[in-house]
Amino acid sequence: MRRWAALAKELRLTTTTLAISEGVPVLAYSTAAADAGQPAIYLSAGVHGDEAAPPWALLFWAEKNTRALQKGSFLILPCLNPIGLARNTRVDHRGLDINRLFHDANDPICGPWQRWITHRPMRAGLCLHEDYDAQGCYVYELSHLRAAISPAILQRCTRHIAIDPRRTIDGSKANAGMIRRKKLPTHLPGMPEAIELHHRGCPLTLTFETPSEFSLDTRVASHMSFIDAAISAVCS
């Protein structure tokens, strides 16, 4: 958090405190271009506290790509569940899974999140996660595009972690590490971040997953490669 604060000062990012979790702020950052209304790339990590690689990867990526952040349009949520991250738990400080609450305007975290993203146009949403059962990296794609964008992105991540070979992942059909949803799931107890983003007009959401039992450094590198590849694919 100290490094994000220093980075925000250096790049003149707009800092928004969405909530306070047991004395720790849940922060959101936006670049000047995003504040000016340019369609943004949405970057999110740390929704589940027991998925440690995404928050570190997002920080390292941002520190490495300051020029892109100065010029580009980005909305950044570096860690939506800071207490869960400190405790290594999936749930937040209330014992709740935030990734089933993004539809709830009355939730003290997801309600402010909704208000923060309202009226902000987006090009794509990148949600960074990990999976205890994963055998490699994989991605959920939700988009209006005719052709899938994920296969080319995944190929750029394989130098760190191979693609998950399973044909069924978490109850969904997978093809070479890609789960492309044509219909939104209706059986979930609440709305995940990526699906709520899609409902609110984000034309493409990609949820990237790495195996949480692999080396932390390897997982971090894989997430950084995914961010680079996804932004390149979206902006090309």
Side-chain angles (χ1 to χ4, degrees):
M1 291 180 66
R2 287 191 295 270
R3 286 164 69 173
W4 270 111
L7 194 61
K9 182 178 180 180
E10 175 190 350
L11 302 179
R12 298 182 180 179
L13 304 178
T14 299
T15 304
T16 302
T17 300
L18 299 181
I20 302 293
S21 297
E22 294 190 355
V24 180
V26 179
L27 299 176
Y29 297 104
S30 52
T31 63
D35 291 338
Q38 295 183 24
I41 302 291
Y42 173 101
L43 298 167
S44 171
V47 170
H48 293 138
D50 58 351
E51 300 171 8
W56 284 108
L58 186 52
L59 172 64
F60 293 159
W61 180 88
E63 291 177 335
K64 185 179 178 182
N65 291 273
T66 54
R67 182 172 297 181
L69 289 173
Q70 286 175 322
K71 295 183 177 180
S73 182
F74 291 92
L75 302 171
I76 304 172
L77 294 147
C79 187
L80 275 163
N81 184 8
I83 300 302
L85 181 65
R87 295 175 179 170
N88 190 34
T89 61
R90 177 181 177 89
V91 296
D92 70 356
H93 61 292
R94 303 166 295 174
L96 300 176
D97 184 348
I98 300 174
N99 212 32
R100 296 297 182 267
L101 296 172
F102 281 95
H103 64 287
D104 188 354
N106 296 315
D107 183 79
I109 294 175
C110 297
W113 172 86
Q114 288 183 15
R115 293 187 286 276
W116 184 69
I117 67 168
T118 296
H119 304 307
R120 291 184 184 267
M122 300 182 199
R123 300 181 72 172
L126 310 184
C127 303
L128 309 179
H129 282 266
E130 299 201 88
D131 179 3
Y132 178 84
D133 296 316
Q135 299 174 17
C137 62
Y138 66 91
V139 65
Y140 290 93
E141 177 174 331
L142 187 57
S143 77
H144 299 305
L145 301 174
R146 177 172 294 182
I149 196 172
S150 298
I153 295 172
L154 279 171
Q155 287 300 322
R156 290 186 55 181
C157 305
T158 56
R159 67 180 182 271
H160 302 295
I161 297 177
I163 293 173
D164 194 314
R166 293 175 295 169
R167 295 185 178 181
T168 301
I169 297 176
D170 200 20
S172 298
K173 291 183 179 180
N175 181 13
M178 179 185 68
I179 303 167
R180 196 176 190 212
R181 286 172 166 157
K182 296 181 180 179
K183 294 183 179 180
L184 298 181
T186 58
H187 64 284
L188 297 175
M191 195 66 75
E193 178 183 24
I195 297 177
E196 186 66 21
L197 279 173
H198 194 69
H199 271 307
R200 291 174 175 268
C202 186
L204 169 69
T205 60
L206 300 172
T207 302
F208 185 63
E209 304 265 3
T210 52
S212 59
E213 297 307 289
F214 283 36
S215 158
L216 177 62
D217 289 344
T218 302
R219 288 148 44 204
V220 168
S222 183
H223 277 278
M224 292 177 68
S225 291
F226 170 77
I227 297 171
D228 279 332
I231 291 174
S232 177
V234 169
C235 296
S236 62

